[in-house]
C-alpha cells in the first residue's frame, strides 16, 4: 500500500493531504487513517473510501510530530512520520547599531510553550554553521486561552565588536515539534 504526505515537515497549524493507493481495491473500499503522537497508541483519526483506482486521501492538521498509518481490511501501510515545526516570527529593532551597541529582537512562537528557549545565533566566519550567542525565553501570551495566538519572546544582545555579522533567531526542537529558524539578518555596525 503506497502512502505519502504532500508536505513534510509542516509549519504549526498548516494542513497537509495524506494520499495513497490500495492496490487492486474497488471504488468504495473502506480505508481508516490511524495516528499517534509521541509515546501514544495508534487511534482512528479519520475514515474514508477509495475511488475507482484504489486511491484515497485525508486532510490532517497535526499540531505536534505525528505518526500515521492507513489500514484497509487486512492490509496496512508502513508508518509515515509527519514533522511539525514551530511557527516563528522575528522582528529586529534595527539592522545598524553602534560598534558597541545593543540590538533587540522580538517575535512570537506557536505553539505557545512558555519557558522554551529561543536562541540568537551568529553564522560562523566561514559560513559553516551557526553558534548561539544569546538565549531568550518564550513568555506567556497576552491572551493564553486563544490557542492561535503566538507567545512573545525578546532578546536584547549587547555587541562588543565592530564589523558585519549574519544573525538569526532559532527555536530548538523538542519531542513535540521540530526546530525552526528565522531568515538570516545582516547586522552592520557604525562607528
Amino acid at each position: 500500500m503506497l502512502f505519502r504526505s504532500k508536505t513534510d515537515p509542516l509549519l504549526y497549524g498548516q494542513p497537509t493531504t495524506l494520499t495513497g493507493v490500495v492496490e487492486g481495491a474497488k471504488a468504495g473500499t473502506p480505508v481508516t487513517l490511524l495516528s499517534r503522537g509521541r509515546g501514544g497508541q495508534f487511534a482512528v483519526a479519520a475514515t474514508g473510501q477509495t475511488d475507482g483506482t484504489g486511491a484515497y486521501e485525508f486532510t490532517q492538521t497535526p499540531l505536534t510530530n505525528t505518526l500515521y498509518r492507513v489500514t484497509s481490511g487486512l492490509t496496512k501501510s508502513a508508518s509515515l512520520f509527519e514533522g511539525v515545526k514551530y511557527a516563528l516570527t522575528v522582528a529586529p529593532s534595527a539592522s545598524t547599531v553602534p560598534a558597541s551597541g545593543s540590538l533587540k529582537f522580538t517575535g512570537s512562537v506557536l505553539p505557545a510553550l512558555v519557558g522554551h528557549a529561543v536562541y540568537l545565533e551568529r553564522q560562523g566566519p566561514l559560513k559553516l554553521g551557526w553558534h548561539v550567542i544569546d538565549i531568550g525565553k518564550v513568555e506567556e501570551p497576552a491572551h493564553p486561552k486563544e490557542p492561535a495566538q503566538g507567545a512573545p519572546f525578546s532578546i536584547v544582545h549587547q555587541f562588543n565588536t565592530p564589523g558585519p555579522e549574519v544573525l538569526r533567531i532559532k527555536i530548538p526542537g523538542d519531542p513535540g515539534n521540530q526546530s525552526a529558524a528565522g531568515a538570516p539578518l545582516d547586522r552592520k555596525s557604525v562607528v
Side-chain angles (χ1 to χ4, degrees):
M1 179 185 300
L2 301 172
F3 182 45
R4 66 181 172 274
S5 172
K6 289 192 176 178
T7 309
D8 185 40
L10 299 172
L11 191 60
Y12 181 86
Q14 177 185 10
T16 189
T17 302
L18 306 170
T19 61
V21 175
V22 180
E23 307 259 342
K26 297 177 184 175
T29 300
V31 290
T32 302
L33 177 68
L34 305 171
S35 69
R36 78 174 180 93
R38 180 176 180 260
Q41 299 293 320
F42 277 105
V44 175
T47 59
Q49 298 179 347
T50 59
D51 65 15
T53 66
Y56 60 85
E57 77 176 38
F58 297 100
T59 300
Q60 294 286 295
T61 307
L63 299 179
T64 60
N65 299 327
T66 303
L67 281 177
Y68 289 101
R69 179 181 289 163
V70 173
T71 62
S72 180
L74 298 176
T75 306
K76 68 179 178 179
S77 70
S79 294
L80 173 73
F81 176 79
E82 184 66 58
V84 179
K85 297 176 80 157
Y86 281 100
L88 176 68
T89 60
V90 179
S93 61
S95 63
T96 304
V97 295
S100 61
S102 63
L103 186 59
K104 182 176 184 178
F105 297 85
T106 60
S108 65
V109 175
L110 273 171
L113 191 57
V114 176
H116 196 294
V118 178
Y119 299 153
L120 172 61
E121 297 181 324
R122 176 179 22 233
Q123 190 172 43
L126 299 176
K127 298 184 180 184
L128 296 175
W130 297 88
H131 310 282
V132 175
I133 60 172
D134 212 334
I135 299 175
K137 297 272 185 215
V138 175
E139 301 163 12
E140 184 76 32
H143 303 284
K145 295 190 180 200
E146 296 178 20
Q149 181 188 23
F153 69 86
S154 65
I155 299 174
V156 177
H157 184 74
Q158 177 71 35
F159 293 93
N160 297 317
T161 58
E165 296 177 301
V166 179
L167 307 168
R168 74 175 183 184
I169 295 291
K170 179 179 180 180
I171 183 161
D174 55 45
N177 296 91
Q178 295 181 352
S179 68
L185 306 162
D186 289 322
R187 179 186 81 91
K188 300 171 182 64
S189 62
V190 294
V191 180

